[in-house]
Amino acid sequence: HIQKELIKKSPVPTLILPGDNDWYDCEDPPAALEQFRSVFYPVKHWPYDLQVHPTYPELLAWWHEGILFITVHLIHGNLQDLSWQPLLTISADWVHEVVTAESRPIRGIFLLGHSLRSPRTRPFFEYVWNNTMAPTWPLDKMPPTMYMHGDGHDWSIDTKFSHQVGWKFYHDIQCDQGGLADPLVVSVAPTNDRGKVLEALDASTPNQYTFAHGFYRIDRQRGMYDEEDAKKQREEASRRSSTRARRAKYTRM
């Protein structure tokens, strides 16, 4: 069964998000989407408390150490079949609902989806900027935000939308090659209570990229995961969490 192969055998927690090839390009799109949802949702064995949209199970959110993760369902559809458009609006409303309801400090935001940003999906990003981000934070306090997606199949870091609207620490990250590429590993720097980065991350290889003055780092060449690597990552995350807690305590003294 595909769910068992892709999710249950993964050494790290895994979830699958829908894209155009999963349902929109099929002969019977509504039936294909229903089948996709029945196979991959609800998400099980996720290590963090999941917030799930009451109607659309692929719309998820979770919070971990100040980072808010939100999944969206965007399809770069054609103009002859507009079945993708309601999902764009629903996803934008979902992001707004999750962000504005979160009472804990948000250090950063990851939007996770499939579709590339295009003139057809641009209204989603305009809505998130105009109705969620800009009214919620002053520009210098806005949490660094990433939209990570596939769809284009080539590695790309796009900041055009960021420059157009003045969203300073927003980046569009397009992952490459689907399952042929090595997994991306994203690291987040520790910060103090005021959001100041305590230990900026650096890019030590040509395949590493840093964002927001070293707050995020993306590593494209970490190879395939195994149990030992996963254990080391958990230990490193625990060490960073302890260091951040000690430094935050020292800052308050």
Side-chain angles (χ1 to χ4, degrees):
H1 195 285
I2 188 171
Q3 184 187 43
K4 182 176 181 180
E5 293 297 321
L6 292 179
I7 296 179
K8 292 186 178 180
K9 288 189 176 182
S10 173
V12 294
T14 301
L15 60 82
I16 309 294
L17 300 179
D20 53 347
N21 298 145
D22 299 307
W23 70 273
Y24 184 76
D25 297 333
C26 295
E27 183 176 345
D28 186 348
L33 181 54
E34 183 179 353
Q35 175 68 13
F36 184 91
R37 286 170 171 158
S38 70
V39 171
F40 293 109
Y41 305 100
V43 174
K44 299 178 181 178
H45 311 298
W46 197 244
Y48 312 111
D49 291 336
L50 272 180
Q51 183 177 347
V52 184
H53 192 283
T55 307
Y56 302 90
E58 68 273 20
L59 299 183
L60 309 165
W62 64 95
W63 187 94
H64 179 61
E65 295 190 359
I67 308 300
L68 191 57
F69 298 85
I70 309 172
T71 68
V72 297
H73 191 166
L74 302 184
I75 297 294
H76 179 68
N78 63 59
L79 299 180
Q80 286 70 47
D81 176 6
L82 300 179
S83 60
W84 52 273
Q85 280 194 335
L87 289 167
L88 185 151
T89 303
I90 291 163
S91 292
D93 289 339
W94 173 242
V95 173
H96 181 78
E97 176 185 339
V98 171
V99 169
T100 56
E102 181 55 64
S103 59
R104 295 165 292 190
I106 300 174
R107 297 198 299 138
I109 298 173
F110 274 91
L111 304 177
L112 307 173
H114 170 73
S115 177
L116 50 79
R117 185 178 51 77
S118 71
R120 296 177 192 175
T121 58
R122 182 183 174 98
F124 165 83
F125 299 96
E126 291 178 335
Y127 181 96
V128 170
W129 168 249
N130 291 321
N131 296 280
T132 303
M133 303 300 293
T136 304
W137 291 280
L139 191 58
D140 62 337
K141 302 295 184 183
M142 200 169 289
T145 301
M146 296 273 196
Y147 172 54
M148 301 192 74
H149 63 93
D151 199 12
H153 305 294
D154 295 318
W155 173 258
S156 173
I157 301 173
D158 188 358
T159 58
K160 290 192 290 291
F161 184 74
S162 171
H163 291 305
Q164 289 167 1
V165 302
W167 192 349
K168 185 176 180 182
F169 288 136
Y170 167 79
H171 293 84
D172 181 302
I173 307 296
Q174 180 171 277
C175 308
D176 62 323
Q177 302 184 68
L180 298 179
D182 287 335
L184 293 180
V185 178
V186 180
S187 303
V188 181
T191 57
N192 63 17
D193 290 346
R194 298 186 300 276
K196 180 178 176 57
V197 173
L198 296 173
E199 184 181 343
L201 302 171
D202 61 359
S204 57
T205 76
N207 292 302
Q208 292 181 340
Y209 306 81
T210 59
F211 306 87
H213 303 313
F215 181 68
Y216 291 132
R217 179 176 62 205
I218 293 180
D219 187 343
R220 294 180 64 198
Q221 297 291 331
R222 287 289 298 273
M224 301 301 291
Y225 289 104
D226 58 28
E227 289 294 340
E228 187 62 28
D229 186 47
K231 179 180 178 182
K232 289 179 180 179
Q233 290 188 52
R234 289 193 295 270
E235 291 174 348
E236 175 67 11
S238 177
R239 183 190 69 79
R240 285 190 175 277
S241 178
S242 298
T243 300
R244 183 168 62 253
R246 289 196 300 270
R247 290 182 175 179
K249 180 179 179 181
Y250 177 78
T251 303
R252 291 194 294 267
M253 291 177 63

